[in-house]
Amino acid sequence: MTHTITARVLRRGLPAAVALLVACAAPAPAAVQPEPTGDWLRVKVSRGDARAGAAREALLQCDPPRGHAEAARACADLDAAQGDLHRIPLRDTYCPMVYAPVTAEARGQWRGRSVEYKETFPNTCVMTARTGAVFALDTAG
């Protein structure tokens, strides 16, 4: 008789216990950040293999310039290229032939147009020569 009562209680209580565990184990929803207004880009630089490399991110805003170490220069570079990162003039510089890949990504809005950009460069020097100050997220890099 004890076996029958235990099985019956288990059948009724187990689904409720599982549901409670699942509900408690689910991660809390992330706080949704509102999109900024004006001209802005979320910029990200990942070193090495994108899956394992350390990434730095910033929200570059240009009205007024703010968001990372070189915001004023980055906004000037974007303004000169009309928001198209592929049109930023190539800097005349010498870069070492060292393979230390970096991936630059940007997403946002410039003068009402959507901006999406992603490119991998052989090293930080080449990235800076081709993208100006847009991805200069720190002064040490």
Side-chain angles (χ1 to χ4, degrees), residues 8 12 14 16-17 24 26 36-37 48 60 82 96 99 104 111 119 121 131 141:
R8 192 177 306 144
R12 288 183 184 155
L14 187 61
C24 291
T37 58
L60 171 64
Q82 300 172 351
Y99 186 69
R111 305 287 188 249
E119 189 166 345
F121 299 94
T131 63

Side-chain angles (χ1 to χ4, degrees), residues 23-119:
C24 291
V32 176
Q33 296 178 352
E35 294 289 329
T37 58
D39 297 332
W40 62 274
L41 291 178
R42 288 192 195 280
V43 295
K44 177 180 174 181
V45 176
S46 304
R47 295 186 186 276
D49 183 358
R51 291 168 287 156
R56 294 181 321 247
E57 296 184 46
L59 174 62
L60 171 64
Q61 293 179 283
C62 291
D63 297 319
R66 62 193 183 281
H68 71 65
E70 299 291 334
R73 285 184 40 223
C75 292
D77 287 341
L78 285 165
D79 199 36
Q82 300 172 351
D84 184 352
L85 280 87
H86 295 284
R87 292 181 59 193
I88 292 176
L90 179 63
R91 303 290 198 274
D92 187 20
T93 187
Y94 292 100
C95 290
M97 293 184 66
V98 174
Y99 186 69
V102 290
T103 300
E105 299 177 59
R107 182 189 65 79
Q109 164 178 306
W110 188 266
R111 305 287 188 249
R113 289 189 336 250
S114 178
V115 174
E116 294 283 336
Y117 177 87
K118 183 175 182 178
E119 189 166 345

